[in-house]
Amino acid sequence: MVKFTKLNGDTILINPFQIEYVELIPESKVIMMNGHFHIVKEDEEEIIKRITQYRTEIYRKADAEV
């Protein structure tokens, strides 16, 4: 799960494999595959960075188990 911050300051955890796309409106609107969405404070670069880090960590763990 990837940690993001809602506009009211609350923290949410999102499964990055369930993200369909992100709209920049100018906030970041993370649209999920089920049609729900979350407005978060993180910008485009930070969202990409966090998702990339998460996926890298998952794949490293999978490689270590083989």
Side-chain angles (χ1 to χ4, degrees):
M1 302 292 268
V2 179
K3 187 185 295 188
F4 293 105
T5 310
K6 295 173 73 171
L7 295 182
N8 66 3
D10 289 348
T11 298
I12 58 172
L13 300 173
I14 295 178
N15 179 346
F17 293 104
Q18 293 298 310
I19 296 173
E20 186 170 0
Y21 62 96
V22 177
E23 289 181 2
L24 306 170
I25 57 171
E27 300 86 3
S28 299
K29 182 178 182 181
V30 181
I31 294 88
M32 309 303 291
M33 294 176 115
N34 65 4
H36 296 160
F37 65 88
H38 306 280
I39 307 291
V40 299
K41 289 184 177 182
E42 288 76 16
D43 64 12
E44 174 185 10
E45 290 179 19
E46 186 63 26
I47 290 171
I48 292 169
K49 176 183 158 191
R50 290 182 188 187
I51 291 171
T52 302
Q53 287 174 341
Y54 175 81
R55 289 185 176 202
T56 300
E57 181 180 327
I58 293 297
Y59 295 131
R60 278 194 191 138
K61 286 180 182 178
D63 284 344
E65 292 177 6
V66 175

